[in-house]
Amino acid sequence: MRLRNLGAALLMATLLAACASGAQRDAPGRFVERELSVEGAVHRYQVFVPSRDATRDKPPVIVFLHGSGERGDDNRSQLAVGLGPHVRAHAGDFPAIVVFPQAPADSEWNQLGEVVFAQLDAATREFGGDPDRTYLTGLSMGGYGVWELALRQGYRFAALVPVCGGLLHPRRPSMAVTGLVDEADPYAAAAARLRTTPVWMFHGAQDASVPVDYSRRLHAAFVAADARDARYTEFPEADHNSWDPAYAMPELWDWLFAQRQVDAFRQR
């Protein structure tokens, strides 16, 4: 009788362990809060950690730079617009680590490069990301940030996805990408420096906040520079919100996750 009870107990334990393992394996990805100190200031950020079922080996890493309206210190707003809602809606099968920095109120991404790089490094180490498949995307102010950070440390990124961004902005000069104001042709200068990095730009033709001509001129400059892979998608009916249709394109993710920069962190 005791052996029968022991066998039943062992069977039950095995079943419970299998159920727990299956539940853990099938659990969707999750958002976690993190913080780090850079030059004495604490900066909080979020990281999306994909489920084990959604990834193979080391997952790729995406850095997402939000727009002006999501600045602050709540460590929440940067998830509300753009890539955050898309990742949340696909939390079960989104296959990448995503780093979500938050810019303080009234700041620009051109002031926060070292913070973003430190958060990227920390998340890549902690969650086992693949440094050879690290990507940078952002919208509006964050689209400007994509160009800013790529021009600073382009060796980090296997591909860029700027959405409704630009280089200069006459109505908001503080947002401009540094080091280009004095260039005779800022677009040609940026394209020449980034011509080997795959890029896919997006913009809405009806954008009244960041003129669509900024992306058109950038794409033309990349083409003129004989860039390795420079793509541009313009949504004819979209206004400033070109990020929702952009991130909803399956073709974007197929293309992005195929990009690789071998030994990225050793090409300094």
Side-chain angles (χ1 to χ4, degrees):
M1 186 68 176
R2 290 179 179 175
L3 289 175
R4 184 181 302 170
N5 289 341
L6 178 59
L10 289 173
L11 176 60
M12 181 61 69
T14 301
L15 290 172
L16 289 173
C19 290
S21 176
Q24 184 179 29
R25 184 172 60 252
D26 296 333
R30 68 195 192 280
F31 291 86
V32 298
E33 297 186 22
R34 291 293 185 267
E35 66 179 42
L36 53 74
S37 178
V38 177
E39 296 183 351
V42 174
H43 298 269
R44 300 164 68 206
Y45 60 106
Q46 294 261 1
V47 182
F48 174 79
V49 184
S51 71
R52 289 186 294 178
D53 284 351
T55 62
R56 297 179 182 177
D57 302 321
K58 290 184 176 182
V61 185
I62 302 171
V63 180
F64 170 73
L65 304 179
H66 62 73
S68 300
E70 293 73 61
R71 290 178 292 184
D73 59 5
D74 62 354
N75 202 22
R76 289 286 188 278
S77 297
Q78 75 269 38
L79 303 179
V81 178
L83 189 53
H86 178 84
V87 170
R88 194 180 299 278
H90 298 84
D93 58 8
F94 197 80
I97 297 165
V98 189
V99 185
F100 292 90
Q102 185 177 29
D106 300 323
S107 67
E108 307 283 7
W109 288 118
N110 57 27
Q111 303 167 321
L112 298 166
E114 295 309 311
V115 173
V116 176
F117 295 141
Q119 292 172 348
L120 166 60
D121 290 345
T124 300
R125 287 193 303 268
E126 180 178 358
F127 300 108
D130 187 349
D132 293 341
R133 292 195 300 152
T134 299
Y135 314 114
L136 179 61
T137 185
L139 60 89
S140 192
M141 169 185 154
Y144 279 77
V146 168
W147 298 117
E148 176 76 31
L149 270 59
L151 285 167
R152 287 195 195 186
Q153 297 188 10
Y155 59 83
R156 289 177 172 269
F157 303 111
L160 311 173
V161 183
V163 182
C164 58
L167 301 178
L168 309 176
H169 201 306
R171 298 197 305 271
R172 186 171 155 185
S174 63
M175 191 165 59
V177 176
T178 55
L180 295 177
V181 173
D182 295 329
E183 292 283 352
D185 186 341
Y187 300 92
R193 290 169 59 183
L194 294 172
R195 58 182 297 275
T196 62
T197 302
V199 57
W200 195 337
M201 293 168 264
F202 294 88
H203 220 118
Q206 310 302 319
D207 196 328
S209 298
V210 178
V212 65
D213 188 56
Y214 294 176
S215 287
R216 291 172 180 169
R217 293 179 67 181
L218 270 163
H219 181 245
F222 272 87
V223 172
D226 194 23
R228 170 184 164 192
D229 186 354
R231 306 182 182 206
Y232 175 51
T233 297
E234 186 174 303
F235 300 109
E237 304 302 322
D239 53 18
H240 193 45
N241 180 0
S242 50
W243 48 85
D244 283 342
Y247 293 137
M249 288 178 57
E251 301 90 340
L252 168 62
W253 303 111
D254 291 342
W255 172 84
L256 187 69
F257 294 138
Q259 308 306 317
R260 180 182 295 273
Q261 167 120 308
V262 178
D263 294 337
F265 280 80
R266 289 178 285 281
Q267 294 184 10
R268 295 175 185 260

